[in-house]
Amino acid sequence: MLSGWFSAFILIWILCLVFLFSVGGYFMFRKFLKRLPKEDGKSILDQQEETILKTRHLWTPEYRELLEELVSPVPELFRDVARKKIAAKIGDVALSKNAKKMTLDNIIQGYILATPRRDHKFLRKKLKQLDIDDSRYEHLFAQKKTKSVRA
């Protein structure tokens, strides 16, 4: 039938394709789940977009630049998604405090809540560069992920 090396090559190629399709399917399925409507009829992505629109007027150019600086280590391919997720969480924090304008405190709290723990060391490094005391946010660094700031 087929020689030994060629059948081994075909087998390895098939395993590689199955692996790549699995990884791609996983990420497509995650995006699909985020688009599914929840109990209130809105998906996670719809809620993020709504929060961003509600809080757009609170952002100053200075704080938009800070947000861009905070998401700069994210690979460019995923940066837009990360920016929207973080901005929505910052907006949640601002709305929960009934803020009239965005503050540095809201941005830092929202960033901590929106990002996984592995990214917190970058934030701590950035806060030290900006001479901002991060000890005020230790309770947020230590807490587990929550679904939403608003109740």
Side-chain angles (χ1 to χ4, degrees), residues 16 20 27 49 57 70 75-76 79 81 101 123 135 147 151:
C16 286
L20 291 173
F27 286 108
E49 195 66 36
H57 67 283
L70 291 175
E76 194 171 333
R79 195 171 295 156
V81 175
K101 64 178 184 173
L123 178 63
S135 64
K147 289 287 184 185

Side-chain angles (χ1 to χ4, degrees), residues 126-142:
K126 185 58 74 176
L127 291 176
K128 284 181 184 173
Q129 288 176 355
L130 298 172
D131 292 327
I132 299 171
D133 182 26
D134 65 348
S135 64
R136 296 179 14 199
Y137 308 104
E138 283 302 322
H139 66 285
L140 294 173
F141 284 119

Side-chain angles (χ1 to χ4, degrees), residues 1-150:
M1 194 130 180
L2 296 174
S3 65
W5 67 270
F6 189 70
S7 58
F9 171 75
I10 295 295
L11 181 65
I12 290 172
W13 182 247
I14 289 171
L15 292 175
C16 286
L17 284 178
V18 167
F19 173 74
L20 291 173
F21 283 138
S22 299
V23 169
Y26 170 74
F27 286 108
M28 292 292 286
F29 187 68
R30 284 183 58 204
K31 187 75 165 182
F32 171 74
L33 288 177
K34 287 184 179 182
R35 273 284 168 212
L36 285 177
K38 303 296 178 198
E39 300 84 31
D40 62 354
K42 295 180 183 174
S43 69
I44 292 171
L45 297 176
D46 291 338
Q47 290 172 350
Q48 284 180 358
E49 195 66 36
E50 182 181 333
T51 303
I52 290 171
L53 290 175
K54 281 183 184 177
T55 59
R56 179 171 281 167
H57 67 283
L58 302 176
W59 288 86
T60 62
E62 172 190 348
Y63 288 136
R64 284 187 182 149
E65 288 177 23
L66 178 62
L67 179 63
E68 286 300 319
E69 193 172 335
L70 291 175
V71 297
S72 63
V74 176
E76 194 171 333
L77 182 63
F78 307 112
R79 195 171 295 156
D80 190 44
V81 175
R83 183 184 308 111
K84 286 182 179 180
K85 180 181 176 187
I86 292 168
K89 186 58 78 171
I90 292 170
D92 278 344
V93 170
L95 290 174
S96 71
K97 294 180 177 182
N98 295 324
K100 301 293 182 204
K101 64 178 184 173
M102 198 58 68
T103 64
L104 182 64
D105 192 49
N106 292 343
I107 291 174
I108 294 171
Q109 286 182 18
Y111 185 90
I112 293 169
L113 294 173
T115 56
R117 281 201 172 128
R118 67 179 178 270
D119 295 342
H120 290 171
K121 43 186 171 174
F122 170 76
L123 178 63
R124 288 178 187 268
K125 180 179 169 186
K126 185 58 74 176
L127 291 176
K128 284 181 184 173
Q129 288 176 355
L130 298 172
D131 292 327
I132 299 171
D133 182 26
D134 65 348
S135 64
R136 296 179 14 199
Y137 308 104
E138 283 302 322
H139 66 285
L140 294 173
F141 284 119
Q143 89 180 27
K144 293 183 180 181
K145 285 280 218 197
T146 58
K147 289 287 184 185
S148 176
V149 174
R150 289 185 276 167

